Amino acid sequence: MFFKQVVSCPCALGLATPTAILVGTSLGARQGLLVRGADVLERLANIDYIALDKTGTLTEGKPAVSGIASFMYEESEILQISAAVENTASHPIAKAIINKAKSLNISIPVTKRQLTEPGFGTLAEVDGRLVAVGSLEWVHERFQRQTDMSDILNLEQAVRQTSEGITPSGYSKTIVYVGREGEGIIGAIAISDSLRHDAEFTGRGSCNIAKAVGIENEFVKSSLTPQGKSGAISSLKDEGHRVAMVGDGINDAPSLALADVGIALQVEGQENAASNAASIILLGNKLSQVVDALELAQATMAKVYQNLSWAVAYNVIAIPIAAGVLLPQYDFAMTPSLSGGMMALSSIFVVTNSLLLQLHRSDGSRKSS
C-alpha cells in the first residue's frame, strides 16, 4: 500500500491542464494576443463558425468620401449639412464625411437636437430644419414627405457613377443618404474603404469585399444593425454552431459578448466597447492574428489532451505494478526509490510537454513575417 501511495501521481493530472493553458496564454501574449480567461482557448479550439464585421475589420477602417450626388443641390451643400449632422458622431463613416468637408474648407454649421441610432444613422437640426444622414430605409422614414423610389434609384446610380474610377477593386463601397425636413431624401454620399492587406488570411463571412477575401454570397449579411448582428449570432448558436465573432467597434460589442468567443481588433492602441466585451484582443490590429489565435488554441488543447492521456495511462499502469501485480509471475516489485522517481518523472513529463508548446509557430505568423 505504501508503494502505491508513493508511485501514484495525482499531481500530473492536476498539472495537465493549467500548465498547458499557462504556456499557451503566455505564448499568445508574445504573438500579440491578449487572452482573457483560462477557458477562452478551450472554447476557441472548438469553434466551427467565424462571423466577421466588415467596416474596420475586413477593411482598413479608414473610409473616405468617393462620390456625392444630388438632383437639386450642389455637392458642397449636401456635404455641408451632412458634416454638420455627423460632427459629434464617432463612426468611421461620420469621420469620413467630416474630413471631406474640412479638406474643402467648408464651414460646418452648429446643430441642435442631436440624435444617433447606432447602425442606422444620425439626425440633427441644421438651420432650423431636421436633417438625417444614414441608411436608405432609416432616412426615408424620418420625414412625412418621402421621395419617390424611382428618384432614389436614379440618385444611387448617379452617386455610384461619380465614384467609379476613384475606387479600384478591393475597396468596400457604402452609400449613405441625406434627407431634410419638408423635402425627403435630397442627396447621397458614397463612402469607400480599402480591404485589409491581410484579409486573405481569414479564408471564408457587402459583396465586393466578400468576393475579394473568398467569402461566398450565401454567407454575407449586409447592412445589419447591432441588433441584427446579435440576431445572426444567436441564430447560428441555436443551430448548434460554436461561434467566434470578430469586430472592432461599439456596434459589434453586443455580438462579441454574445458569441462563444469574441475577438476584437485593438484600434489605435485604445480600449473601446468592442475590446471591453471581447474574450481575445488582437493587440497587433492584424486580421491574420485570428488565424494565429485559432491555431494556438488548437495546439494548446492538443497539449492538454496529451498531458491528460499520459497522466491517466501512467497511473493505470504504475499503481497495479507498485501493488505487486507482477510479483507472482515475474518476481518484480518496485522499491521506494523507484516508485518516488517514477512519480517525479511523471510530473516532469507533463510540465516539459507543456513547455514544448513554446516551439509552436502559427502559419499566420509565418505568412505575415
Side-chain angles (χ1 to χ4, degrees):
M1 179 63 70
F2 172 74
F3 290 170
K4 287 193 292 181
Q5 293 174 341
V6 171
V7 80
S8 65
C9 191
C11 53
L13 284 168
L15 290 170
T17 298
T19 54
I21 295 294
L22 178 61
V23 175
T25 53
S26 62
L27 179 59
R30 290 199 295 271
Q31 294 179 351
L33 307 171
L34 178 58
V35 181
R36 290 174 164 172
D39 61 330
V40 174
L41 291 178
E42 180 180 2
R43 286 187 277 122
L44 184 60
N46 294 320
I47 290 299
D48 65 350
Y49 212 104
I50 300 178
L52 296 155
D53 176 50
K54 185 191 74 173
T55 303
T57 303
L58 287 177
T59 65
E60 290 286 353
K62 299 176 181 178
V65 173
S66 59
I68 303 172
S70 175
F71 293 144
M72 297 173 285
Y73 299 98
E74 295 290 331
E75 293 182 3
S76 58
E77 184 172 355
I78 297 297
L79 188 59
Q80 182 182 47
I81 62 174
S82 301
V85 172
E86 299 282 25
N87 202 22
T88 59
S90 59
H91 194 275
I93 289 178
K95 293 180 180 178
I97 293 173
I98 295 166
N99 290 338
K100 182 66 174 180
K102 290 180 177 179
S103 70
L104 297 176
N105 295 319
I106 295 175
S107 61
I108 301 177
V110 177
T111 62
K112 300 178 182 178
R113 299 162 60 188
Q114 191 91 13
L115 171 67
T116 299
E117 289 194 32
F120 292 98
T122 305
L123 181 73
E125 183 181 314
V126 183
D127 297 329
R129 286 199 287 177
L130 290 177
V131 175
V133 180
S135 65
L136 173 59
E137 293 79 8
W138 188 80
V139 175
H140 194 59
E141 293 172 358
R142 294 310 97 188
F143 308 106
Q144 290 183 346
R145 179 174 177 180
Q146 296 188 338
T147 309
D148 187 87
M149 287 306 299
S150 61
D151 291 336
I152 293 175
L153 292 175
N154 291 334
L155 186 63
E156 179 182 347
Q157 184 177 7
V159 75
R160 289 188 183 277
Q161 288 176 348
T162 60
S163 64
E164 298 233 348
I166 298 176
T167 54
S169 61
Y171 273 67
S172 166
K173 188 178 295 181
T174 301
I175 297 178
V176 295
Y177 292 84
V178 184
R180 186 155 57 183
E181 186 178 11
E183 298 178 87
I185 292 177
I186 60 173
I189 302 175
I191 310 292
S192 299
D193 195 2
S194 60
L195 175 67
R196 281 178 177 266
H197 71 281
D198 61 348
E200 63 186 79
F201 291 115
T202 60
R204 295 170 50 94
S206 346
C207 292
N208 290 340
I209 291 298
K211 183 182 292 185
V213 300
I215 300 172
E216 299 174 11
N217 287 341
E218 63 180 293
F219 296 108
V220 178
K221 296 183 182 295
S222 59
S223 303
L224 291 180
T225 64
Q227 294 79 10
K229 293 178 183 180
S230 297
I233 298 296
S234 295
S235 296
L236 289 171
K237 294 180 69 175
D238 291 342
E239 293 170 6
H241 293 291
R242 292 176 292 274
V243 186
M245 170 69 187
V246 186
D248 72 311
I250 189 170
N251 289 348
D252 306 319
S255 302
L256 291 170
L258 182 61
D260 293 291
V261 179
I263 303 175
L265 285 82
Q266 189 176 55
V267 181
E268 299 176 354
Q270 300 177 352
E271 286 216 0
N272 54 28
S275 58
N276 289 334
S279 304
I280 298 176
I281 301 176
L282 308 182
L283 300 178
N285 194 25
K286 297 177 181 177
L287 200 55
S288 57
Q289 289 182 294
V290 175
V291 179
D292 294 345
L294 284 168
E295 293 180 348
L296 177 61
Q298 292 167 354
T300 300
M301 293 313 299
K303 287 296 181 184
V304 170
Y305 298 142
Q306 290 170 14
N307 290 345
L308 289 173
S309 298
W310 161 259
V312 171
Y314 166 81
N315 283 286
V316 167
I317 295 173
I319 291 176
I321 294 176
V325 70
L326 299 180
L327 187 60
Q329 187 171 358
Y330 299 100
D331 195 27
F332 176 80
M334 286 188 179
T335 63
S337 58
L338 179 60
S339 299
M342 288 182 62
M343 184 273 292
L345 286 174
S346 178
S347 297
I348 291 172
F349 175 87
V350 167
V351 174
T352 302
N353 190 47
S354 297
L355 290 173
L356 289 176
L357 184 60
Q358 296 182 87
L359 302 177
H360 168 79
R361 189 181 180 194
S362 66
D363 289 338
S365 297
R366 285 192 288 273
K367 290 176 183 176
S368 59
S369 60

PDB file of all heavy atoms in Angstrom, residues 143-156:
ATOM      1  N   PHE A 143     -39.140  61.408 -42.429  1.00  0.00           N
ATOM      2  CA  PHE A 143     -39.869  62.594 -42.841  1.00  0.00           C
ATOM      3  C   PHE A 143     -41.231  62.237 -43.437  1.00  0.00           C
ATOM      4  O   PHE A 143     -41.388  61.192 -44.063  1.00  0.00           O
ATOM      5  CB  PHE A 143     -39.048  63.386 -43.867  1.00  0.00           C
ATOM      6  CG  PHE A 143     -37.647  63.680 -43.396  1.00  0.00           C
ATOM      7  CD1 PHE A 143     -36.556  62.994 -43.926  1.00  0.00           C
ATOM      8  CD2 PHE A 143     -37.413  64.623 -42.409  1.00  0.00           C
ATOM      9  CE1 PHE A 143     -35.271  63.249 -43.489  1.00  0.00           C
ATOM     10  CE2 PHE A 143     -36.128  64.882 -41.952  1.00  0.00           C
ATOM     11  CZ  PHE A 143     -35.060  64.192 -42.490  1.00  0.00           C
ATOM     12  N   GLN A 144     -42.174  63.138 -43.239  1.00  0.00           N
ATOM     13  CA  GLN A 144     -43.515  62.910 -43.766  1.00  0.00           C
ATOM     14  C   GLN A 144     -43.515  62.922 -45.298  1.00  0.00           C
ATOM     15  O   GLN A 144     -44.173  62.109 -45.934  1.00  0.00           O
ATOM     16  CB  GLN A 144     -44.483  63.975 -43.240  1.00  0.00           C
ATOM     17  CG  GLN A 144     -44.786  63.831 -41.757  1.00  0.00           C
ATOM     18  CD  GLN A 144     -45.798  64.858 -41.283  1.00  0.00           C
ATOM     19  OE1 GLN A 144     -46.085  65.819 -41.981  1.00  0.00           O
ATOM     20  NE2 GLN A 144     -46.327  64.651 -40.085  1.00  0.00           N
ATOM     21  N   ARG A 145     -42.770  63.865 -45.849  1.00  0.00           N
ATOM     22  CA  ARG A 145     -42.661  63.899 -47.307  1.00  0.00           C
ATOM     23  C   ARG A 145     -41.569  62.932 -47.722  1.00  0.00           C
ATOM     24  O   ARG A 145     -40.407  63.087 -47.341  1.00  0.00           O
ATOM     25  CB  ARG A 145     -42.337  65.304 -47.799  1.00  0.00           C
ATOM     26  CG  ARG A 145     -42.192  65.374 -49.317  1.00  0.00           C
ATOM     27  CD  ARG A 145     -42.008  66.795 -49.808  1.00  0.00           C
ATOM     28  NE  ARG A 145     -41.806  66.811 -51.247  1.00  0.00           N
ATOM     29  CZ  ARG A 145     -41.610  67.922 -51.967  1.00  0.00           C
ATOM     30  NH1 ARG A 145     -41.611  69.110 -51.353  1.00  0.00           N
ATOM     31  NH2 ARG A 145     -41.436  67.867 -53.261  1.00  0.00           N
ATOM     32  N   GLN A 146     -41.947  61.934 -48.499  1.00  0.00           N
ATOM     33  CA  GLN A 146     -40.999  60.893 -48.881  1.00  0.00           C
ATOM     34  C   GLN A 146     -40.715  60.946 -50.378  1.00  0.00           C
ATOM     35  O   GLN A 146     -41.610  61.180 -51.190  1.00  0.00           O
ATOM     36  CB  GLN A 146     -41.534  59.512 -48.490  1.00  0.00           C
ATOM     37  CG  GLN A 146     -41.686  59.357 -46.973  1.00  0.00           C
ATOM     38  CD  GLN A 146     -42.030  57.945 -46.582  1.00  0.00           C
ATOM     39  OE1 GLN A 146     -42.536  57.165 -47.376  1.00  0.00           O
ATOM     40  NE2 GLN A 146     -41.739  57.594 -45.337  1.00  0.00           N
ATOM     41  N   THR A 147     -39.465  60.707 -50.699  1.00  0.00           N
ATOM     42  CA  THR A 147     -39.017  60.765 -52.083  1.00  0.00           C
ATOM     43  C   THR A 147     -39.480  59.543 -52.851  1.00  0.00           C
ATOM     44  O   THR A 147     -39.515  58.426 -52.311  1.00  0.00           O
ATOM     45  CB  THR A 147     -37.478  60.851 -52.129  1.00  0.00           C
ATOM     46  OG1 THR A 147     -37.052  61.904 -51.257  1.00  0.00           O
ATOM     47  CG2 THR A 147     -36.976  61.132 -53.537  1.00  0.00           C
ATOM     48  N   ASP A 148     -39.835  59.744 -54.103  1.00  0.00           N
ATOM     49  CA  ASP A 148     -40.249  58.634 -54.949  1.00  0.00           C
ATOM     50  C   ASP A 148     -39.097  57.646 -55.115  1.00  0.00           C
ATOM     51  O   ASP A 148     -37.941  58.036 -55.302  1.00  0.00           O
ATOM     52  CB  ASP A 148     -40.684  59.167 -56.326  1.00  0.00           C
ATOM     53  CG  ASP A 148     -41.289  58.068 -57.183  1.00  0.00           C
ATOM     54  OD1 ASP A 148     -42.495  57.826 -57.073  1.00  0.00           O
ATOM     55  OD2 ASP A 148     -40.517  57.469 -57.961  1.00  0.00           O
ATOM     56  N   MET A 149     -39.404  56.344 -55.062  1.00  0.00           N
ATOM     57  CA  MET A 149     -38.361  55.318 -55.125  1.00  0.00           C
ATOM     58  C   MET A 149     -37.593  55.346 -56.436  1.00  0.00           C
ATOM     59  O   MET A 149     -36.402  55.034 -56.471  1.00  0.00           O
ATOM     60  CB  MET A 149     -38.981  53.935 -54.907  1.00  0.00           C
ATOM     61  CG  MET A 149     -39.403  53.664 -53.475  1.00  0.00           C
ATOM     62  SD  MET A 149     -38.060  53.912 -52.266  1.00  0.00           S
ATOM     63  CE  MET A 149     -36.866  52.694 -52.829  1.00  0.00           C
ATOM     64  N   SER A 150     -38.242  55.711 -57.531  1.00  0.00           N
ATOM     65  CA  SER A 150     -37.530  55.793 -58.804  1.00  0.00           C
ATOM     66  C   SER A 150     -36.461  56.879 -58.758  1.00  0.00           C
ATOM     67  O   SER A 150     -35.356  56.720 -59.300  1.00  0.00           O
ATOM     68  CB  SER A 150     -38.510  56.058 -59.956  1.00  0.00           C
ATOM     69  OG  SER A 150     -39.176  57.298 -59.771  1.00  0.00           O
ATOM     70  N   ASP A 151     -36.760  58.001 -58.068  1.00  0.00           N
ATOM     71  CA  ASP A 151     -35.770  59.069 -57.920  1.00  0.00           C
ATOM     72  C   ASP A 151     -34.606  58.606 -57.046  1.00  0.00           C
ATOM     73  O   ASP A 151     -33.445  58.967 -57.294  1.00  0.00           O
ATOM     74  CB  ASP A 151     -36.424  60.304 -57.297  1.00  0.00           C
ATOM     75  CG  ASP A 151     -37.420  60.967 -58.234  1.00  0.00           C
ATOM     76  OD1 ASP A 151     -37.280  60.784 -59.468  1.00  0.00           O
ATOM     77  OD2 ASP A 151     -38.346  61.649 -57.744  1.00  0.00           O
ATOM     78  N   ILE A 152     -34.925  57.809 -56.027  1.00  0.00           N
ATOM     79  CA  ILE A 152     -33.871  57.298 -55.152  1.00  0.00           C
ATOM     80  C   ILE A 152     -32.943  56.361 -55.923  1.00  0.00           C
ATOM     81  O   ILE A 152     -31.716  56.406 -55.770  1.00  0.00           O
ATOM     82  CB  ILE A 152     -34.485  56.582 -53.936  1.00  0.00           C
ATOM     83  CG1 ILE A 152     -35.221  57.594 -53.057  1.00  0.00           C
ATOM     84  CG2 ILE A 152     -33.411  55.859 -53.131  1.00  0.00           C
ATOM     85  CD1 ILE A 152     -35.959  56.975 -51.891  1.00  0.00           C
ATOM     86  N   LEU A 153     -33.516  55.498 -56.751  1.00  0.00           N
ATOM     87  CA  LEU A 153     -32.692  54.584 -57.561  1.00  0.00           C
ATOM     88  C   LEU A 153     -31.812  55.362 -58.518  1.00  0.00           C
ATOM     89  O   LEU A 153     -30.643  55.011 -58.730  1.00  0.00           O
ATOM     90  CB  LEU A 153     -33.596  53.609 -58.322  1.00  0.00           C
ATOM     91  CG  LEU A 153     -34.355  52.587 -57.473  1.00  0.00           C
ATOM     92  CD1 LEU A 153     -35.302  51.762 -58.338  1.00  0.00           C
ATOM     93  CD2 LEU A 153     -33.372  51.664 -56.754  1.00  0.00           C
ATOM     94  N   ASN A 154     -32.360  56.413 -59.126  1.00  0.00           N
ATOM     95  CA  ASN A 154     -31.554  57.253 -60.019  1.00  0.00           C
ATOM     96  C   ASN A 154     -30.439  57.954 -59.256  1.00  0.00           C
ATOM     97  O   ASN A 154     -29.321  58.106 -59.759  1.00  0.00           O
ATOM     98  CB  ASN A 154     -32.448  58.295 -60.700  1.00  0.00           C
ATOM     99  CG  ASN A 154     -33.399  57.671 -61.695  1.00  0.00           C
ATOM    100  OD1 ASN A 154     -33.127  56.602 -62.240  1.00  0.00           O
ATOM    101  ND2 ASN A 154     -34.529  58.320 -61.938  1.00  0.00           N
ATOM    102  N   LEU A 155     -30.735  58.359 -58.016  1.00  0.00           N
ATOM    103  CA  LEU A 155     -29.739  59.014 -57.173  1.00  0.00           C
ATOM    104  C   LEU A 155     -28.617  58.046 -56.820  1.00  0.00           C
ATOM    105  O   LEU A 155     -27.432  58.395 -56.866  1.00  0.00           O
ATOM    106  CB  LEU A 155     -30.411  59.536 -55.900  1.00  0.00           C
ATOM    107  CG  LEU A 155     -29.566  60.377 -54.955  1.00  0.00           C
ATOM    108  CD1 LEU A 155     -29.120  61.669 -55.628  1.00  0.00           C
ATOM    109  CD2 LEU A 155     -30.339  60.670 -53.671  1.00  0.00           C
ATOM    110  N   GLU A 156     -28.998  56.816 -56.484  1.00  0.00           N
ATOM    111  CA  GLU A 156     -27.990  55.797 -56.164  1.00  0.00           C
ATOM    112  C   GLU A 156     -27.094  55.517 -57.366  1.00  0.00           C
ATOM    113  O   GLU A 156     -25.875  55.413 -57.239  1.00  0.00           O
ATOM    114  CB  GLU A 156     -28.680  54.508 -55.717  1.00  0.00           C
ATOM    115  CG  GLU A 156     -27.697  53.397 -55.390  1.00  0.00           C
ATOM    116  CD  GLU A 156     -28.397  52.110 -54.991  1.00  0.00           C
ATOM    117  OE1 GLU A 156     -29.602  52.134 -54.736  1.00  0.00           O
ATOM    118  OE2 GLU A 156     -27.699  51.072 -54.945  1.00  0.00           O
TER     119      GLU A 156
END
